[in-house]
Amino acid sequence: MRATVSKSLLAQALGAALLALLLVWAASFSRPWHALEFKTFDLWTAQAAPLRSPLPVVVLAIDEPTFQALNQSWPFPRGLHAQLLDRLHEDGAAAIGLDVVFADPAADPAQDAALAQAVARAVAAGIPVVLASAREKVDSASATLWTDVLPLQALLDAGARHGDAGVQPDDDFVVRQLPPGPGSFSAVLAESLTGRPVPEGAPGFVAYRGPRGTYDTRSYYQALEPGLLPQGYFRGKTVLVGRSALTASDLQHSQADLFNSPFAALGGERLFPGVELQATLLDNRMQGDSLRPVDERWSIALVLLALAVLVPASVLWHPGTVAALAGALAGGTLLLSWGLFTCAGLWLPPLLPLTAVLASYGATALVAYATARRRARETRAMFAQYVPPEVVSRLIAQPELLRLGGEAREVTLMFTDLASFTTLSEQLSAEQTVEVLTGYFNAMTPLIHATGGTVDKFIGDAVMAFWGAPLPDAQHAEHAVRAAIAMQQAMEPLVARLHARGLPGIHMRIGLHTGRVVVGNVGSEQRFSYTAIGDAVNLAARLEGANKAFGTGILLSGATAAQLPEGIALRALDDVIVKGKTEPVRVYTPCADAEACRLSQAALDAFHARTWDEADAHLQALLARLPGDAAAERLRGRIQDARALPPGAPWSPAVALDKL
C-alpha cells in the first residue's frame, strides 16, 4: 500500500514539475526573461573584471577638455587629425586606430590631402593605420537595405585599412556580444598588429576588463600640444582615437558614440564610450579570451538534473530537507555559472536552470502540501480513535481552543508502564514488537475513553492519561480508578496470548494522583498538543514507578482516595514524601480483601504510634493471609530499622519517594 501511494505521489509531483518547467520554457522566450539574463551577465562582469589589461593601449578621448582646449567644434578639421598622426608616428606608436568615419570629403580639399599624407607617412614607417567604416540601414516600403559607409578612397589609397566599427547592443543598449570578424574594426586592427588573419567563428561575448577609464586614457589635445605628455609616451603602444564626450553640444545633436555600461549593475558609471569599447574588443582579439557561450544542452542537462533530484526527494524526504536541497541546487547553479565565467571564460546563463530548480521545487512543494493536507484529514480521523469524541467535537465547535495557553483545573492523572517489556522486545522483531504494542494500546485506550478519560500521549510502552479535562467531570477520581482496575483485568488475555506463543509475560504498573494542573495546548506556535503540566503530573509518574517497591499493579495517592466512593475498597500501604515537598502523601492500592485492608490500616496506625510490637503483629497476620506480600515485608523492615535507632534519634513515619 505504501509503495502504491508513493508511486502515485511521485507521478503527481513529476506531472506538476513538468508543467512548471513548460511554463518556464515558454517564459524564456520573452523580453523580460532576456533582460534578466542580461543583468546576470552584467553582475558577473562587474564582479569578475580584473580592472586592468596587459595590452599596451592608449585611448585618446575626444572629450570635454579637448573641446575647451582646442576651441573647436565637431567635426574637427582633418588637418588636426593629420597633426595627431604625425605626432604618434614620430613617437613610435605600434598602431593607430581612428574610431572616426571619414566618409564625406571636407569642404577644403587640402584638409583631406593633409590627412592622406599623414596616413601615408605613418604606413611607410610601418605603423598600421585603421579607420572606421560603418553600415547604414535604409528602410523602404518594399525592403530593408544595408549600405557600407567607407572612408574616403584617398585615405585608403594612402595605405589605411578600414573595419566596421558597428556593434550590436542589446535592448538595454549594453554591448555584450563580440562583433563577428574578420571585417570588424577591432579584428582588422588585431590583424594589422599580429599579421595573422582573425579566423571566422561563432561570435562570443565581450570580456570586459573594467569600467570606463580602465585603459590608459588621455585627452585628444594632450597628444597635440607639445610638453603635455613625455617624449616617447606612445612608443610601442596601440593608440585608439575616438569620441568620449558626455555634454558637448556638438555631440548632443549628433549620434554620440556612447553605450550603457554593464558595470552600472553594481552602481558604477552608466555610460561607456565607444572608443573604450573598441579597445576592449581589441584586447579580447589579441588575448584570445573572449567569453564563449556554453552549449545549450548543458542548461537542459541541469534542468533535468533538478527534475530528477527534486521530484523523488519531495516524496521521500522532509519538506525542510527538500527546501535545503532546492537551495543547494540553486546555489550550485549560480556557483557553476560564476566558476565557468571567471575560471574558464564560459558564459552559462544561470537563469534557466535556476528558475527550473525553483519552479520544480515550488510545484513539488505544492503537491506535497496538498498531500499533507489530505493526510492531515486522514490523521484527524485516526486521531479521533484515540481521543474521546467529546474532545474532537469541542475543538471542531470551538477552533479558538487550538491556540497556545491553558487553564488551571483539578484532574486525576494516570501513568502506566509495562514491566519486563524490554526483555520481551529483545526476543521479538521490530514488526512483532509494534504488533504487541498495538494490541496493548488497542486494549487500553477504549477503557480510558469509556470512562471519559483523555489519552495525553504514548511514551514508548507507557500511556499518560487524565480525567476531568477538557470536559468537566465531577467524578474524575472514581472514573480514573475504575479505568485502572479494568485495564489490569484486560492485561490477563494479553499475557495469556504471549504465553501461548512461548514468550515471557509482562505486567502493567499504574500510578494515579489527583491535583490541580494547567491543561491546554502547550508547545510552540508550529507544533503543540493538548496536555497537562504541573507537580501533580510528576507525582502520578513517580507513583507508577513506586509500584515496584510495593509489589502492586495500581498505586494511588491519598488525594485520589479521598474522592472515591465507599464502593471502591482500598488498602493503605505507607506514607511517602515527594522530593521538594514536606507533607507526606499516603498511598493506596485497590483491594477486594476487606480483612487485608483492615490489617494494613491497623499496622500503619501502630507504626505511626511507634508501638512496634503491635504493628509487627498486624503485619504477621497480614502475611499469613497474603504470603510474600511485598508491601508488608517492606514495612516490617522499616519497623526493624526504627527499633535499631538509639533513644532520642530523629524518626519519621514517612519514607522519601525517590528512595523506593
Side-chain angles (χ1 to χ4, degrees):
M1 180 64 180
R2 178 178 175 81
T4 303
V5 172
S6 296
K7 288 181 180 179
S8 174
L9 183 57
L10 185 64
Q12 294 176 33
L14 180 60
L18 288 175
L19 179 59
L21 292 181
L22 181 62
L23 295 176
V24 169
W25 177 76
S28 67
F29 293 98
S30 65
R31 295 172 71 91
W33 179 280
H34 293 301
L36 284 174
E37 278 195 342
F38 294 158
K39 294 307 178 185
T40 306
F41 181 93
D42 295 348
L43 182 61
W44 276 193
T45 294
Q47 292 279 11
L51 306 180
R52 63 183 184 277
S53 170
L55 191 68
V57 172
V58 176
V59 174
L60 290 180
I62 302 172
D63 53 11
E64 289 298 323
T66 297
F67 285 106
Q68 296 174 10
L70 300 180
N71 196 23
Q72 291 280 352
S73 61
W74 186 259
F76 290 165
R78 289 175 184 172
L80 204 61
H81 296 308
Q83 293 178 38
L84 177 67
L85 288 180
D86 286 337
R87 166 69 197 278
L88 298 177
H89 164 210
E90 293 168 1
D91 216 34
I96 303 170
L98 287 169
D99 187 17
V100 181
V101 180
F102 300 107
D104 300 319
D108 182 2
Q111 294 288 326
D112 291 338
L115 180 57
Q117 291 168 10
V119 169
R121 285 190 292 272
V123 172
I127 302 175
V129 177
V130 178
L131 306 177
S133 61
R135 299 189 73 205
E136 288 188 354
K137 182 180 180 182
V138 180
D139 291 318
S140 64
S142 58
T144 299
L145 300 177
W146 288 91
T147 302
D148 290 329
V149 181
L150 302 178
L152 293 171
Q153 189 60 44
L155 300 178
L156 299 178
D157 292 341
R161 302 183 64 184
H162 70 87
D164 183 6
V167 291
Q168 291 297 321
D170 293 314
D171 291 345
D172 56 358
F173 220 67
V174 176
V175 178
R176 298 181 179 88
Q177 293 200 19
L178 202 68
S184 66
F185 181 81
S186 58
V188 173
L189 191 54
E191 182 181 333
S192 300
L193 284 166
T194 62
R196 299 188 303 272
V198 175
E200 289 277 3
F205 293 90
V206 180
Y208 281 88
R209 307 309 189 201
R212 178 177 184 165
T214 297
Y215 294 95
D216 185 7
T217 303
R218 304 293 168 173
S219 292
Y220 181 96
Y221 79 92
Q222 291 178 295
L224 287 175
E225 297 185 14
L228 294 182
L229 292 175
Q231 190 72 24
Y233 182 79
F234 298 102
R235 188 175 308 280
K237 298 178 181 178
T238 300
V239 182
L240 292 174
V241 183
R243 293 175 292 176
S244 181
L246 297 178
T247 60
S249 59
D250 292 305
L251 290 182
Q252 296 296 324
H253 294 90
S254 63
Q255 185 179 359
D257 192 16
L258 292 168
F259 302 91
N260 285 332
S261 169
F263 296 92
L266 288 182
E269 191 171 342
R270 186 176 64 86
L271 296 177
F272 202 87
V275 64
E276 291 194 44
L277 176 61
Q278 294 297 340
T280 303
L281 297 176
L282 174 63
D283 198 344
N284 280 215
R285 304 280 191 193
M286 296 292 289
Q287 303 297 328
D289 59 354
S290 60
L291 295 164
R292 291 170 290 129
V294 173
D295 193 314
E296 291 183 355
R297 288 176 292 184
W298 284 102
S299 293
I300 296 174
L302 290 175
V303 171
L304 294 178
L305 174 64
L307 188 68
V309 171
L310 286 175
V311 171
S314 68
V315 176
L316 301 174
W317 295 355
H318 186 275
T321 305
V322 179
L325 176 62
L329 288 173
T333 298
L334 292 174
L335 288 176
L336 176 62
S337 175
W338 169 255
L340 291 175
F341 192 95
T342 56
C343 301
L346 296 173
W347 168 234
L348 171 66
L351 187 58
L352 178 61
L354 178 63
T355 309
V357 167
L358 298 179
S360 299
Y361 168 69
T364 55
L366 187 61
V367 170
Y369 173 76
T371 303
R373 288 293 300 271
R374 185 180 70 251
R375 287 178 176 172
R377 291 192 295 269
E378 296 172 353
T379 302
R380 178 184 175 280
M382 294 173 61
F383 184 67
Q385 300 176 21
Y386 293 90
V387 175
E390 293 84 356
V391 176
V392 179
S393 299
R394 183 177 180 185
L395 294 178
I396 294 174
Q398 297 177 271
E400 66 273 9
L401 295 176
L402 287 172
R403 58 178 175 80
L404 294 179
E407 57 181 332
R409 184 177 293 189
E410 184 182 78
V411 299
T412 298
L413 299 120
M414 171 190 285
F415 276 85
T416 76
D417 191 32
L418 290 179
S420 306
F421 185 76
T422 301
T423 303
L424 173 64
S425 62
E426 290 174 351
Q427 302 181 39
L428 300 174
S429 65
E431 292 79 5
Q432 291 173 324
T433 301
V434 172
E435 178 189 349
V436 171
L437 277 179
T438 301
Y440 165 65
F441 291 140
N442 282 341
M444 300 302 135
T445 304
L447 297 175
I448 295 173
H449 288 172
T451 53
T454 297
V455 176
D456 184 302
K457 59 178 68 73
F458 298 120
I459 312 169
D461 60 345
V463 178
M464 174 184 172
F466 50 83
W467 284 255
L471 301 182
D473 180 3
Q475 298 172 285
H476 52 81
E478 177 185 354
H479 292 154
V481 174
R482 292 195 183 280
I485 295 171
M487 290 165 68
Q488 287 291 9
Q489 293 171 350
M491 282 296 295
E492 296 176 5
L494 292 178
V495 174
R497 285 196 291 271
L498 290 176
H499 287 317
R501 295 168 60 180
L503 296 172
I506 54 176
H507 65 274
M508 178 173 58
R509 296 190 293 253
I510 299 177
L512 295 167
H513 175 58
T514 300
R516 293 191 67 80
V517 295
V518 175
V519 290
N521 293 314
V522 178
S524 69
E525 292 182 353
Q526 292 75 33
R527 182 188 178 104
F528 55 81
S529 61
Y530 189 82
T531 189
I533 56 175
D535 287 342
V537 178
N538 299 328
L539 179 53
R542 298 294 300 276
L543 291 180
E544 176 273 310
N547 277 285
K548 185 176 182 180
F550 290 103
T552 53
I554 301 173
L555 203 61
L556 56 109
S557 68
T560 302
Q563 298 192 26
L564 296 180
E566 295 182 357
I568 300 178
L570 298 177
R571 173 187 167 191
L573 299 178
D574 206 342
D575 294 276
V576 297
I577 298 177
V578 182
K579 185 176 182 180
K581 304 291 183 180
T582 57
E583 291 296 322
V585 175
R586 178 152 294 188
V587 292
Y588 300 82
T589 189
C591 179
D593 188 336
E595 180 60 18
C597 294
R598 187 192 67 76
L599 290 172
S600 184
Q601 182 65 51
L604 271 179
D605 291 342
F607 181 70
H608 279 250
R610 306 184 70 167
T611 54
W612 314 127
D613 292 339
E614 181 183 351
D616 191 57
H618 290 309
L619 290 175
Q620 288 184 26
L622 181 60
L623 286 170
R625 191 173 186 85
L626 301 174
D629 182 78
E633 293 285 4
R634 195 191 64 79
L635 189 56
R636 288 194 71 196
R638 293 191 60 205
I639 292 173
Q640 294 176 3
D641 293 339
R643 280 175 167 169
L645 290 174
W651 173 80
S652 172
V655 63
L657 185 59
D658 58 344
K659 293 182 179 180
L660 294 178

